[in-house]
Amino acid sequence: MASIIANLPPPLFVNGRRPVLRILPKFTLSATGERQGRVAIFANATDQTSESSTSLSIVKSVQDVWDKSEDRIALIGLGFAAIVAIWASANLITVIDKLPLVPSAFEFIGILFSSWFIYRYLLFKPDREELVQIINKSISDILGQ
């Protein structure tokens, strides 16, 4: 495991409304003590890799779908249609939000649904495991695995 200790200058001070700007010196790396008026930062490096993260697996899955696809124009069209659908739904929500009483009713319905969802899937451990299985099944169905 490697360790790095960096001494940073104190933060910029504000004089009235105008910040006092000055050129900051380069960071100094030191393995001993800290100087007065400086902040010490400790960084530790480990041998662990983050390839198990879900974001990397999603990117790899999308790349696999793109590489296996024979009709890439259709995939581009689906992507464009998804962007248009998101834009249209955002505008629809904006219009609905301007109607009187409708936002309050939707907020109440949202609170009720959120309460039910928390009770049904998040409150107890077996229900959380069931939710994870449902999400994983949906992702595999969408990606065709």
Side-chain angles (χ1 to χ4, degrees), residues 15 21 27 125 136:
N15 183 7
L21 299 176
F27 299 136
K125 186 173 183 175
N136 288 337

Side-chain angles (χ1 to χ4, degrees), residues 38-55:
R38 302 231 180 215
V39 178
I41 294 180
F42 299 93
N44 293 328
T46 61
D47 293 338
Q48 297 175 354
T49 60
S50 62
E51 290 184 2
S52 63
S53 68
T54 57
S55 62

Side-chain angles (χ1 to χ4, degrees), residues 45-108:
T46 61
D47 293 338
Q48 297 175 354
T49 60
S50 62
E51 290 184 2
S52 63
S53 68
T54 57
S55 62
L56 290 177
S57 64
I58 291 173
V59 170
K60 287 181 182 179
S61 298
V62 170
Q63 286 176 345
D64 290 341
V65 169
W66 180 259
D67 292 338
K68 291 179 184 178
S69 173
E70 294 178 11
D71 193 8
R72 291 186 178 169
I73 294 175
L75 284 177
I76 293 171
L78 285 173
F80 180 73
I83 291 171
V84 168
I86 290 171
W87 173 78
S89 63
N91 286 331
L92 180 66
I93 290 171
T94 303
V95 169
I96 289 175
D97 194 37
K98 292 179 182 177
L99 297 174
L101 295 178
V102 175
S104 299
F106 281 151
E107 184 177 355
F108 181 68

Side-chain angles (χ1 to χ4, degrees), residues 1 5 11 18-19 26 30 33 35-36 45 49 53 59 63 78 95 100 106 129 134 139-140 145:
M1 178 174 358
I5 300 173
R18 297 177 38 201
K26 291 186 178 181
S30 170
R35 291 187 242 161
Q36 188 176 11
T49 60
S53 68
V59 170
Q63 286 176 345
L78 285 173
V95 169
F106 281 151
E129 292 170 352
I134 290 170
I139 289 173
S140 64
Q145 297 175 351

Side-chain angles (χ1 to χ4, degrees), residues 115-124 127-128 130 134:
S115 302
W116 172 82
F117 184 84
I118 289 169
Y119 176 76
R120 172 66 178 93
Y121 288 113
L122 301 179
L123 203 54
F124 304 108
D127 296 333
R128 288 191 298 266
E130 178 187 354
I134 290 170

